[in-house]
Amino acid sequence: MEESRVRGLLQPGERLLWEGAPEQGIRLQRSDWYTIPFSLVWCGILVVALGRPMRVMAWNPFYSVMYLPFVLAGLYLLIGRFFLRAWRLAGMRYGVTDKRVIIAGRRETVFLMYGQIPMLHKEFRRSGVGTIWFHRPTYYGSGEHRRSVPGVGFEEINDAERVCQLIERQMLGR
């Protein structure tokens, strides 16, 4: 029933060529090669910072409030982001039609006409599962002013190569 959500978004006369959803579960990404070591260092520093006051003196409630944002950020970096991404992808449905691509999330839907797609960037694993980016995640700025723009694409889909070829054919008008 969930996948029929894409069918309900079709315009009169529009043909659905492919419909799918991301692979479920927790998966590592390339950025995790950097983020996991950073999060381990972050949490290690917190253990040292919180351990010392607890050993030296009686626990002061001020420390709880002061360190709480840092502890929450550390937990998010270490494990929370994996669960958040898995939850976000569990609510996604994708569609390729003869006129556009559809990305339907829990609270928002993105429609991209083929003429609006600036590029295709594909990342595939040997298993055939992969991601097709229509707009890759980008980062700009440097240091503490570094910001990101989330990517738009079909993430973690089965038979990604075939779906990418289908989109390419539609973009070329074939």
Side-chain angles (χ1 to χ4, degrees):
M1 178 175 160
E2 271 293 331
E3 288 192 18
S4 66
R5 187 167 39 148
V6 172
R7 289 189 189 281
L9 298 170
L10 299 180
Q11 295 295 319
E14 188 174 20
R15 279 187 315 124
L16 184 63
L17 305 174
W18 177 84
E19 181 177 8
E23 283 280 299
Q24 301 303 302
I26 295 174
R27 299 191 183 283
L28 294 177
Q29 297 177 295
R30 285 187 188 152
S31 62
D32 292 326
W33 285 101
Y34 306 104
T35 312
I36 288 173
F38 174 78
S39 63
L40 290 172
V41 169
W42 179 282
C43 290
I45 290 170
L46 277 175
V47 167
V48 171
L50 289 173
R52 187 163 188 267
M54 290 178 77
R55 283 192 315 266
V56 173
M57 62 189 121
W59 182 250
N60 184 340
F62 172 73
Y63 286 114
S64 299
V65 174
M66 186 177 83
Y67 285 111
L68 185 62
F70 298 102
V71 169
L72 292 176
L75 289 174
Y76 172 77
L77 287 171
L78 194 60
I79 57 171
R81 61 195 174 89
F82 297 111
F83 291 103
L84 183 63
R85 183 168 186 265
W87 176 80
R88 182 180 60 81
L89 289 179
M92 301 294 273
R93 298 295 178 262
Y94 305 129
V96 175
T97 75
D98 56 342
K99 297 180 182 359
R100 59 192 175 161
V101 295
I102 301 170
I103 303 169
R106 282 190 166 89
R107 294 192 177 152
E108 67 180 10
T109 301
V110 175
F111 301 96
L112 285 171
M113 305 301 284
Y114 292 113
Q116 293 177 308
I117 299 174
M119 58 88 175
L120 288 181
H121 177 86
K122 45 191 181 176
E123 299 172 0
F124 302 142
R125 293 192 293 277
R126 287 186 198 126
S127 65
V129 174
T131 297
I132 304 166
W133 294 111
F134 308 120
H135 179 279
R136 286 183 61 193
T138 54
Y139 305 93
Y140 60 93
S142 61
E144 64 186 56
H145 301 290
R146 186 174 169 96
R147 302 287 182 259
S148 69
V149 176
V152 176
F154 292 171
E155 297 181 60
E156 303 293 334
I157 59 171
N158 277 316
D159 205 10
E161 181 70 50
R162 184 181 66 78
V163 175
C164 189
Q165 290 171 0
L166 176 63
I167 294 168
E168 286 174 341
R169 282 194 302 273
Q170 294 305 308
M171 288 176 75
L172 294 172
R174 294 188 226 163

